[in-house]
Structure formats: structure tokens, C-alpha cells
């Protein structure tokens, strides 16, 4: 976060130091390319939204034509770094006190915009209308506040997987993020501003305000100011966080001497809010009165929400509005109230980007001609501030947040992302195996691990662009940014949702892209692909000399040995750097001897003796030895059996994972050497499809829509997931509606030890869903 200005504590309000320059690379990023604007102005906070185009570097590969003189070298393809333009949404939140200076900054730095209109919503839109029009020269077009709120809510629920969370004050992890449900409707939105609006949302454009209350955030603030003489909302909440409501509230035990068992009322239940103040002849502290008031308002809103949820048979209830704003003490009282009134049947859900809903909705209203809802969007971790705790007990620094800018950035993805159709239950699917927000020991290890690996990533980023003298300076900026992200996540592990190995890897990729390092491993991949191709025919010939049963085992060992070649694992990258000649046979010797750590090979072999699968979907992993000498021989065996194969590879680069564009070239070259692969391509039995992912891990709920269509059309009945990132860090527990095979080598000593194995232990997990079991004696082993 970047400081915008300073707070002058000697004045009655907030003022802006006009001499401070707002750094556009930190706050109003890509402002010069802004196309559309929207603004949501509340009682104290302004949320500005704008759409911009972002020019960044991408790594492209192009096959050499080996029939001409163009290919002066033996290299299979050439790599070029090109400029590409993509769309990005920027959302910035700041206090209203800074609005004039921020508008001045936008006016001074705005080069061009496609529109002469700025969409506006919120209670302050009318108040600041003249100022905005004068400063920016844009006509203010006001949009309905509730419509914007619902549009924004729908958008974040669809596009940000860890958007909704449950707040549990005394749990190891206070923030428990919910699984993204592909079907977000219907739901209840309880918006707590000055008053309360309760809205039933049934579809993208169908919603209805079904109730509300005049007792809301304004009531808490107003009565709180009268009782405590505290004028600032956040200060009132801080008082409440320190108070004891039992000093002011009359409890059941104060009336009955204990619980009222006949009616099921516990002794600690509030019987009368502020009840003791009517009879006790004493002064009550500001803290205790603020706490009592907070409980009174929250309980009233909670009961109202429960009644409407039951009346309309809704189990998903989201809370938002000025009253919430991520304040732990508020979320706790709302959660307690909901749990009490529904006996745990309904959960109080909060939204990580709740403060931006109106601005997002207003932007969407102004950008309908661009069809933003026809695309999938993803949060850019490099440019987003993330969810911050404002609990003074958890992080005292957060009390000084006035004057800082909170940011959310979202990138438009090239393709629509959908669920894998073969997920057994998409609503309960969780990609990640370990939630580091809840596992403190694992969190500390992985944060340390990623920090330790930073020097190596910087070194490879510079080496990938030897012809660019400024690469070292950009790499240093990357180092600083990613290290800052790691430090933030150490303090606030919930900043971007559930903290996982996947999110740490993805954040690193986002930061690398931020400083124009689109593919630091491009030259390493190119070299390893060229070398591995020379051994392909020899590897295939040696397999064909084996008996059928020996070949099945050799094929599996080949995939596992190939998976050892992973530059994302420090234990392996150290070996590959020190011994460039480390080869396929050496990798096989490193593998654990059977029985493996997880071993259902015997069940797999028995299945192979049966009828062939109709179609296998294979999520591949690394370039070089992995894909060429490990995966491709396995694929040709499936093809020879009569099984169609769909190879799903990354759409964009991540570590040394093979990308779809690289795989296309590699497969064509292999087909020229191998009639089985050639026939598979010619007869459309071997298909290459991009996964829609640019991550070393795999989220089966966000895959390319084309891939999902191919999976359906081919009647896929086997899913193969390879690699530590895709099959261990993610999807280890994924339940599919067809047979699945998860193969990986554990290349991290700490993780191996935790799983009860050692370095280079093998996971070979073959699973058959219960309804697909052919007979009891063919049951799959589930470790």
C-alpha cells in the first residue's frame, strides 16, 4: 500500500498535503490508458473504478521450418518476447477527505479516455457531482445504488474463488473461506448502511428488496456518539472491542439466578439490552456502552436476516455495507447472532471485496457494450492490497491506515473458465490439499521456502533476457515486491483468501509478469526439449522390446522419472544446475523402490488387462524429459490400446511447465518420428487443448470452456493428473465421477517427511468411484 497523504491531527478533519506526489506505478496504475470510469461515494469512503489496457511482454515460441535454410541451428523452435495488450480493471478505495487531490491527480495524468461519462453511485454521488464534473470534464451519470451493489456482488462471487468467508473469532484461523459454488443463485444480501436493506437475489438481473430496517449502522453511530461523545465510527468500534456488555446488559441469570431451562435460555443470554442502566445507580464506561450497543444492533439485524432467510428458504446469507467493512468485532457479533437464531443452520457469510461492490456494479453498468460478463476475470495479486485485519489486537499498524490506499486489480482472461464436468460435486470441490491459513507450522515453512528461493528466481529472470541491460533493475523490483507480499502474508495469511502453496506460486508468477518477465525458464525449457527429443526413439525402442507386463511398469516409472525434472523444486534444481548431464536413467535410479508411499499400481495393472478406456484426459506437467520421455510413451501406449487422448497443458508459462504452444511444436516433431503419434493426430484420436491455467498447480473449477466441451464430447472416462503441483499440492483429495490416476514424485524433503516418506517418494494413486466399481475384487486402493 502506498501513502497518499498525511493526517493532520490538529484539525477537525482530514487534510491532504498537496506537496506529496502520488506515485502512479503504485496507486493509479495504467491511468494513461484508462478507457472507462465509475465511482461509488459513501459517507466516508470513495471507491474509484476504471478499465484500462495494459501493455506487457509475453513469451512466444515459433517452430523453425527444418526443410529450409531458416534453421541455422539444431534448435526445435525460436523464442521471442513480444508486446501484448490486455484488459485490466482497477479499483481504488480511499477516504473522502482525499477526493479533491485524487481528482486533480487523475486530471493531470489522464491522457485519453473513450468516454465522456463517469458512472456514479452511492449516497455521496450527488454531493460531489459538481466537483467531479469540474475536475475531470466528465458528465456524472448516476446509477441506482442497489442495482450496482447486486451487479458487483454477482461479479466477485463468479470471478474470485475465495471471495466469501465465515468469521470465527476464536478459531486458529479467523477467516474461513468458502468453496466457490458454480451456481451462486439464489442468495440473500443484507446490506447494512445507515439503515438495513435485505435483498433476495435470484439471477443476474432478477432481485427484490424483501425487507429492511431503520435500525442499522447509522443507529449504531448516532446513538454511540450520544452515549460516548465519540464522533468517529472506527473509534466507536475500537471502544466496543474493549468493552464488557454484561456491565450494561441485563442477562437471563440476572433475572432468574441462572438459566431458564424450560424455555431453553442460557444464563448468559441477553434478556434486555441496556437493562442494567435503568436500575443501577452508577456511571458506565464508554467501552461497555459501545459494546452493549453493538450487540443490540447486531442481534436485531441478525434475527431479521434469519427470519427472511427461513421465510424464503435461503441458506446463503451475505452481509455487507458500511457497518461491516471487515471489522472483526462487527463480524463476530453478526456471526454469533446468526448462529444463535438459526441453531447453526445458516452461516453468516462476508465478502473479501465487500467495499468495492457498488463501484464494480457502476462500472459494469457503464461497460455493458464491452460485455465484461462474457469473460472470466482473475484477481491480480501483484496489484491488489488484499484483505487486511483492522483488529487493534492482531495488528496495531492497521490503526494507522487512514491515508493509505486500498486496491483491487482484476485481469481479463483470454478464455472463459468453467468447472471440469467430471468433478463429482463441484460445490464441495477444494483444489488445495493444505490450507496454510489454518496450519501455522506448514505456513511458516512454505513462506521461508519461497523467500529462500527468491535469489534463484531473480537470477533466472535476468538470465532469460540477456539482451536487455535493464533486466537486472526490473528483477530487483520484482524481488522487492514479492518479498513484500511474503511479509504481508506472514502477518495477514488471509489477505488473498486461503493461503496455499498454489497462491504463493501464483503470486510469484503475477509479480514476475508485473516486471515483464513472462517466462524466466524459456531458454531452459528450449534446451531440455531439444536434448530429450534426441533420445525419444531410443526410449520407445527399449520399451517395445519388453513384455506387455514389464512395459506397463516401465511406462509408469518413465512418467515418474520424467516428473523428477522440475525446476520448481529446490532439491532438483540444485542437482540440475550442478550436473547438467543428470539424465533420465539417473532419475529412475532416484525413485523410491516399491512398495511406494502411496501404491495402487497393482490395481491399475489389473484395470489395464480389461477393456480400454474410451478417452483419457491427461493434465501434463514439465517440459523436456517429463513430457517427451515420460508422458509421450505413456500416451502412445494408450493410443495403441484404442483409447483417445486429450493432452491438457498450460495456456501460459509457469516455472518449467510445458505450455500449449510449446506442446504443439513438440508433438508435431515427435509425430514425424513416431507413426503411432502421427496416426493419433491424423485420425483426431490425440488432441491438444490448453487448460486455461498459467499456474504450476491446477484448479479443476477454473478450466478453459473449450477443454470442458472436449471432455464431454469425447465421453472421457479416465483423468490422469501428473506432478507435485497438480496432484499433491492440489487435487490430492479431488473426487471425480470417473476413474482417475494421480502420479507424482515428492521432491521436497519437508513435505516428504510430513507425508511419512522421504525425498523422491512416489505417489501412485488410482481411484475408481463407487458407482463405477466393476466388482469387489477390482476395488481401488484409497490410502
Amino acid at each position: 500500500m502506498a501513502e497518499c497523504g498525511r493526517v493532520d491531527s490538529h484539525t477537525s478533519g482530514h487534510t491532504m498535503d498537496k506537496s506529496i506526489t502520488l506515485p502512479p506505478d503504485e496507486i493509479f496504475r495504467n491511468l494513461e490508458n484508462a478507457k472507462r470510469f465509475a465511482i461509488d461515494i459513501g459517507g466516508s469512503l470513495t471507491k474509484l473504478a476504471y478499465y484500462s489496457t495494459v501493455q506487457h511482454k509475453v513469451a512466444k515460441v515459433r517452430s523453425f521450418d527444418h526443410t529450409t535454410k531458416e534453421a541455422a541451428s539444431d534448435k526445435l523452435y525460436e523464442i521471442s518476447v513480444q508486446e501484448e495488450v490486455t484488459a485490466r480493471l482497477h479499483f481504488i478505495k480511499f477516504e473522502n477527505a482525499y477526493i479533491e487531490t485524487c481528482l486533480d491527480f487523475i486530471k493531470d495524468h489522464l491522457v485519453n479516455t473513450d468516454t465522456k461519462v463517469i458512472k456514479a453511485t452511492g449516497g455521496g454521488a450527488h454531493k460531489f457531482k459538481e466537483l467531479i464534473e469540474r475536475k475531470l470534464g466528465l458528465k456524472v451519470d448516476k446509477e441506482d445504488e442497489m442495482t450496482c451493489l447486486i451487479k458487483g456482488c454477482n461479479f466477485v462471487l463468479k470471478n474470485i474463488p475465495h471471495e466469501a468467508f465465515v468469521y470465527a473469532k476464536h478459531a486458529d484461523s479467523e477467516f474461513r473461506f468458502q468453496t466457490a459454488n458454480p451456481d451462486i443463485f439464489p442468495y440473500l444480501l443484507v446490506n447494512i448502511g445507515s439503515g438495513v436493506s435485505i435483498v433476495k437475489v435470484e439471477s443476474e438481473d432478477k432481485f427484490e428488496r424483501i425487507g429492511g430496517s431503520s435500525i442499522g449502522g447509522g443507529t449504531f453511530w448516532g446513538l454511540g456518539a450520544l452515549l460516548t461523545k465519540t464522533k468517529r465510527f472506527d473509534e466507536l468500534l475500537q471502544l466496543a472491542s474493549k468493552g464488557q456488555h454484561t456491565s450494561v446488559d441485563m442477562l437471563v441469570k440476572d433475572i432468574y439466578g441462572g438459566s431458564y431451562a424450560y424455555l431453553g435460555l442460557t444464563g448468559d443470554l441477553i434478556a434486555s439490552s441496556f437493562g442494567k442502566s435503568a436500575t443501577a445507580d452508577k456511571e458506565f464506561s464508554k467501552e461497555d456502552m459501545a459494546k452493549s450497543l453493538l450487540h443490540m444492533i447486531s442481534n436485531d439485524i441478525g434475527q431479521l436476516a434469519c427470519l427472511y432467510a427461513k421465510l424464503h428458504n435461503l441458506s446463503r446469507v451475505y452481509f455487507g455495507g458500511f457497518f461491516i467493512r471487515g471489522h472483526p468485532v462487527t463480524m463476530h457479533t453478526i456471526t454469533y447472532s446468526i448462529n444463535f437464531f438459526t441453531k447453526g443452520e445458516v452461516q453468516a457469510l462476508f465478502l473479501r471485496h465487500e467495499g468495492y461492490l457498488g463501484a464494480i456494479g457502476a462500472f459494469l453498468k457503464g461497460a455493458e457494450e464491452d460485455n465484461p460478463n462474457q469473460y472470466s476475470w482473475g484477481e491480480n495479486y501483484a496489484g491488489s492490497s488484499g484483505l487486511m485485519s483492522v483488529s487493534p489486537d492482531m495488528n496495531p499498524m492497521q490503526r494507522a491506515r487512514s491515508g493509505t490506499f486500498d486496491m483491487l486489480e482484476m485481469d481479463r482472461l483470454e478464455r472463459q473458465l468453467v468447472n471440469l464436468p467430471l468433478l463429482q460435486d463441484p460445490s464441495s470441490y477444494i483444489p488445495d490439499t493444505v490450507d496454510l491459513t489454518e496450519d501455522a507450522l506448514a505456513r511458516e515453512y512454505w513462506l521461508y521456502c519461497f523467500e529462500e528461493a527468491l535469489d534463484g528466481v531473480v537470477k533466472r529472470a535476468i538470465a532469460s533476457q540477456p539482451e536487455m541491460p535493464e533486466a537486472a533493475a526490473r528483477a530487483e523490483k520484482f524481488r522487492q515486491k514479492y518479498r513484500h507480499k511474503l511479509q504481508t502474508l506472514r502477518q495477514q495469511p488471509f489477505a488473498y483468501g486461503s493461503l496455499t502453496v498454489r497462491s504463493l506460486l501464483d503470486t510469484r508468477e503475477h509479480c514476475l509478469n508485473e516486471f515483464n518477465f513472462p517466462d524466466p525458464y524459456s531458454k531452459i525449457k528450449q534446451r531440455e526439449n531439444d536434448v530429450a527429443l534426441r533420445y525419444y526413439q531410443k526410449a520407445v525402442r527399449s520399451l517395445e522390446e519388453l513384455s506387455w507386463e514389464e512395459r506397463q511398469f516401465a511406462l509408469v516409472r518413465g512418467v515418474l522419472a520424467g516428473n523428477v525434472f522440475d525446476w520448481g523444486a529446490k532439491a532438483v534444481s540444485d542437482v540440475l544446475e550442478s550436473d547438467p548431464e543428470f539424465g533420465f536413467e539417473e532419475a529412475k535410479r532416484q525413485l523410491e523402490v516399491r512398495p511406494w508411499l502411496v501404491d495402487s499400481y497393482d490395481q491399475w495393472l489389473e484395470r489395464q488387462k480389461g477393456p480400454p478406456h474410451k478417452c483419457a484426459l491427461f493434465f501434463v506437467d514439465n517440459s523436456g524429459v517429463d513430457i517427451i520421455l515420460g508422458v509421450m510413451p505413456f500416451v502412445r501406449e494408450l493410443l495403441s490400446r484404442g483409447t483417445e487422448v486429450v493432452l491438457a497443458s498450460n495456456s501460459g508459462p509457469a516455472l518449467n511447465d510445458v505450455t500449449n504452444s510449446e506442446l504443439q511444436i513438440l508433438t508435431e516433431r515427435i509425430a514425424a518420428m513416431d507413426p503411432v503419434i502421427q496416426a493419433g493426430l491424423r485420425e483426431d484420436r490425440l488432441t491438444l487443448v490448453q487448460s486455461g491455467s498459467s499456474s504450476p498447480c491446477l484448479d479443476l473449477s477454473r478450466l478453459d470452456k473449450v477443454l470442458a466441451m472436449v471432455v464431454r464430447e469425447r465421453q472421457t472416462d479416465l483423468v490422469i493428473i501428473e506432478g507435485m503441483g497438480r496432484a499433491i499440492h492440489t487435487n490430492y483429495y479431488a473426487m471425480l465421477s470417473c476413474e482417475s490416476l494421480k502420479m507424482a514424485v515428492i521432491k521436497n524433503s519437508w513435505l516428504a517427511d510430513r507425508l511419512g516418506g522421504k525425498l523422491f517418494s512416489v505417489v501412485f494413486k488410482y481411484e475408481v468411484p463407487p458407482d463405477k466399481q466393476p466388482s469387489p475384487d477390482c476395488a481401488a486402493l484409497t490410502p
Side-chain angles (χ1 to χ4, degrees):
M1 279 191 204
E3 290 288 336
C4 174
R6 67 171 180 239
V7 178
D8 186 348
S9 58
H10 301 293
T11 62
S12 57
H14 291 271
T15 60
M16 196 74 181
D17 185 340
K18 302 267 180 145
S19 66
I20 292 179
T21 303
L22 304 181
D25 58 331
E26 286 297 324
I27 300 175
F28 294 102
R29 288 146 48 92
N30 306 301
L31 186 61
E32 67 278 7
N33 298 316
K35 305 295 181 189
R36 288 189 183 0
F37 283 93
I39 198 164
D40 174 17
I41 309 175
S44 64
L45 292 174
T46 295
K47 285 78 69 177
L48 179 73
Y50 62 95
Y51 162 96
S52 76
T53 52
V54 182
Q55 197 164 17
H56 61 98
K57 287 181 167 56
V58 293
K60 297 280 188 182
V61 297
R62 183 174 74 93
S63 178
F64 281 118
D65 182 358
H66 287 269
T67 63
T68 71
K69 294 179 180 178
E70 181 187 13
S73 71
D74 293 331
K75 288 186 169 58
L76 177 66
Y77 55 83
E78 64 173 336
I79 306 163
S80 62
V81 176
Q82 301 173 14
E83 294 288 338
E84 197 169 86
V85 175
T86 55
R88 180 173 290 174
L89 298 180
H90 303 258
F91 303 99
I92 305 164
K93 182 165 57 180
F94 52 88
E95 291 191 3
N96 289 352
Y98 305 114
I99 191 168
E100 189 166 349
T101 299
C102 290
L103 291 174
D104 281 337
F105 184 87
I106 293 168
K107 180 183 69 175
D108 293 342
H109 291 80
L110 192 61
V111 177
N112 55 52
T113 179
D114 288 349
T115 181
K116 298 300 178 188
V117 174
I118 181 169
K119 292 287 183 178
T121 190
H126 176 75
K127 177 181 176 183
F128 290 100
K129 179 177 184 290
E130 187 182 326
L131 177 69
I132 295 167
E133 291 184 334
R134 177 164 48 85
K135 292 280 187 185
L136 297 185
L138 300 176
K139 179 180 179 296
V140 172
D141 189 1
K142 199 167 184 312
E143 291 290 343
D144 176 67
E145 191 170 359
M146 193 55 65
T147 302
C148 291
L149 200 66
I150 301 303
K151 274 189 172 293
C153 192
N154 292 342
F155 186 81
V156 296
L157 287 173
K158 282 191 301 183
N159 288 287
I160 302 180
H162 288 166
E163 178 60 33
F165 63 89
V166 172
Y167 184 77
K169 183 179 180 182
H170 300 296
D172 291 338
S173 173
E174 290 182 288
F175 298 83
R176 292 183 177 172
F177 294 91
Q178 301 296 289
T179 303
N181 193 320
D183 185 11
I184 65 171
F185 305 110
Y187 65 85
L188 201 67
L189 179 63
V190 181
N191 192 55
I192 313 169
S194 298
V196 180
S197 284
I198 299 175
V199 185
K200 179 184 179 182
V201 185
E202 295 184 73
S203 68
E204 196 65 53
D205 298 306
K206 186 180 179 184
F207 64 89
E208 177 189 4
R209 185 184 188 276
I210 55 175
S213 172
S214 61
I215 300 171
T219 315
F220 174 68
W221 197 352
L223 283 177
L226 292 172
L227 290 167
T228 68
K229 309 303 179 191
T230 300
K231 295 295 183 184
R232 288 184 58 77
F233 188 84
D234 287 352
E235 287 176 16
L236 188 61
L237 279 172
Q238 281 189 19
L239 287 175
S241 70
K242 299 170 186 172
Q244 293 292 328
H245 76 97
T246 53
S247 302
V248 185
D249 292 341
M250 188 175 289
L251 309 181
V252 168
K253 65 184 177 185
D254 294 325
I255 301 173
Y256 298 105
S259 62
Y260 194 158
Y262 184 72
L263 293 181
L265 304 176
T266 64
D268 291 327
L269 199 66
I270 299 172
S272 174
S273 296
F274 287 91
K276 288 179 181 173
S277 62
T279 55
D281 187 18
K282 65 171 187 175
E283 291 291 319
F284 296 96
S285 74
K286 292 179 179 180
E287 291 81 0
D288 293 348
M289 288 190 290
K291 188 62 171 282
S292 175
L293 182 61
L294 182 66
H295 274 295
M296 184 180 82
I297 303 292
S298 298
N299 285 337
D300 185 65
I301 294 169
Q303 185 168 33
L304 201 59
C306 291
L307 290 170
Y308 277 105
K310 287 189 172 182
L311 184 64
H312 292 269
N313 197 28
L314 297 171
S315 58
R316 279 176 285 192
V317 183
Y318 298 103
F319 289 85
F322 179 82
F323 185 66
I324 304 293
R325 274 177 50 202
H327 285 287
V329 65
T330 311
M331 293 190 295
H332 173 64
T333 51
I334 289 281
T335 299
Y336 180 88
S337 173
I338 291 289
N339 285 341
F340 175 80
F341 288 117
T342 69
K343 295 181 171 60
E345 290 178 10
V346 175
Q347 285 186 317
L349 294 165
F350 305 96
L351 299 170
R352 193 154 62 88
H353 298 105
E354 178 276 322
Y356 293 110
L357 301 186
I360 292 171
F363 169 80
L364 293 172
K365 287 287 286 183
E368 285 174 343
E369 64 192 67
D370 294 328
N371 298 317
N373 278 317
Q374 288 188 6
Y375 299 92
S376 288
W377 299 77
E379 182 173 5
N380 184 329
Y381 297 143
S384 291
S385 304
L387 179 67
M388 297 293 167
S389 169
V390 288
S391 166
D393 299 327
M394 279 189 67
N395 192 354
M397 289 173 62
Q398 292 307 120
R399 282 186 285 183
R401 285 187 70 209
S402 295
T404 60
F405 276 54
D406 189 81
M407 291 165 287
L408 164 65
E409 287 186 2
M410 298 185 73
D411 289 328
R412 193 177 80 186
L413 307 177
E414 289 182 29
R415 44 200 48 84
Q416 268 194 295
L417 302 182
V418 298
N419 280 302
L420 176 69
L422 297 169
L423 280 174
Q424 204 169 84
D425 179 12
S427 65
S428 64
Y429 168 68
I430 299 172
D432 304 285
T433 305
V434 179
D435 184 345
L436 303 182
T437 48
E438 297 186 1
D439 190 329
L441 192 65
R443 177 170 72 243
E444 191 50 46
Y445 170 75
W446 286 110
L447 286 170
Y448 166 79
C449 195
F450 277 87
E451 203 155 3
E452 281 290 290
L454 198 45
D455 286 344
V457 178
V458 169
K459 178 181 164 186
R460 275 184 279 278
I462 297 170
S464 71
Q465 299 178 1
E467 69 289 351
M468 297 183 183
E470 85 292 351
R474 282 188 283 113
E476 187 53 38
K477 286 183 177 179
F478 155 73
R479 182 206 303 274
Q480 292 170 6
K481 181 130 195 177
Y482 188 56
R483 180 169 282 152
H484 174 70
K485 291 288 180 185
L486 292 175
Q487 289 166 350
T488 299
L489 290 167
R490 190 168 264 116
Q491 296 296 321
Q492 312 277 2
F494 44 78
Y496 299 105
S498 292
L499 181 64
T500 62
V501 173
R502 175 169 63 106
S503 67
L504 288 169
L505 284 163
D506 290 350
T507 303
R508 189 168 70 186
E509 293 298 324
H510 291 183
C511 290
L512 280 166
N513 280 307
E514 184 71 28
F515 296 102
N516 277 321
F517 292 107
D519 194 355
Y521 293 83
S522 56
K523 287 182 168 53
I524 292 172
K525 289 189 290 181
Q526 183 189 42
R527 183 177 69 247
E528 293 185 348
N529 286 333
D530 287 337
V531 171
L533 276 171
R534 293 177 206 157
Y535 294 97
Y536 177 78
Q537 287 175 301
K538 181 183 175 184
V540 168
R541 279 196 301 270
S542 66
L543 287 164
E544 288 177 335
E545 291 169 0
L546 301 173
S547 68
W548 182 86
E549 196 154 318
E550 287 173 330
R551 188 167 70 249
Q552 303 314 304
F553 186 62
L555 286 164
V556 167
R557 282 191 80 228
V559 173
L560 294 167
N563 194 242
V564 169
F565 290 80
D566 186 350
W567 283 84
K570 192 173 187 303
V572 176
S573 63
D574 288 347
V575 171
L576 295 174
E577 280 192 334
S578 61
D579 181 9
E581 299 303 314
F582 182 82
F584 194 38
E585 296 306 316
E586 286 86 345
K588 289 179 185 176
R589 287 192 285 272
Q590 293 285 347
L591 293 177
E592 177 185 32
V593 178
R594 289 193 70 199
W596 295 323
L597 180 63
V598 177
D599 193 336
S600 25
Y601 176 75
D602 292 340
Q603 286 82 354
W604 169 251
L605 185 64
E606 283 303 308
R607 174 62 185 86
Q608 288 296 84
K609 292 174 183 176
H613 294 90
K614 172 87 174 62
C615 177
L617 168 63
F618 199 137
F619 288 99
V620 299
D621 194 6
N622 306 311
S623 284
V625 172
D626 191 350
I627 185 68
I628 295 167
L629 301 182
V631 171
M632 279 303 187
F634 195 95
V635 167
R636 78 188 301 275
E637 182 76 11
L638 290 171
L639 290 169
S640 300
R641 281 172 54 82
T643 300
E644 294 178 14
V645 179
V646 176
L647 289 181
S649 53
N650 271 10
S651 300
L655 293 174
N656 65 316
D657 293 358
V658 66
T659 63
N660 183 258
S661 55
E662 291 162 351
L663 187 55
Q664 297 278 355
I665 296 170
L666 293 175
T667 307
E668 285 172 16
R669 184 65 181 275
I670 291 170
M673 300 186 273
D674 187 339
V676 176
I677 298 296
Q678 190 176 64
L681 289 173
R682 187 178 62 248
E683 296 162 11
D684 198 27
R685 294 187 300 110
L686 174 58
T687 310
L688 278 56
V689 186
Q690 49 192 319
S691 65
S693 171
S694 297
S695 170
C697 297
L698 182 65
D699 182 352
L700 297 176
S701 68
R702 284 172 72 81
L703 294 177
D704 190 345
K705 192 175 183 180
V706 174
L707 175 58
M709 185 179 68
V710 170
V711 165
R712 284 196 192 93
E713 288 176 352
R714 300 287 171 109
Q715 298 174 35
T716 302
D717 54 354
L718 172 65
V719 173
I720 304 170
I721 306 176
E722 178 215 4
M724 203 164 79
R726 290 167 176 76
I728 304 295
H729 292 313
T730 52
N731 299 305
Y732 187 75
Y733 297 116
M735 303 297 292
L736 301 175
S737 59
C738 69
E739 294 172 56
S740 64
L741 190 55
K742 298 165 188 174
M743 293 186 277
V745 178
I746 311 295
K747 293 154 291 194
N748 177 283
S749 299
W750 182 88
L751 181 61
D753 184 62
R754 207 172 218 229
L755 295 173
K758 57 186 186 302
L759 197 63
F760 301 118
S761 286
V762 168
V763 169
F764 188 90
K765 194 177 187 186
Y766 171 59
E767 296 175 300
V768 183
D771 61 330
K772 299 286 193 302
Q773 295 279 1
S775 61
D777 58 341
C778 291
L781 172 69
T782 305

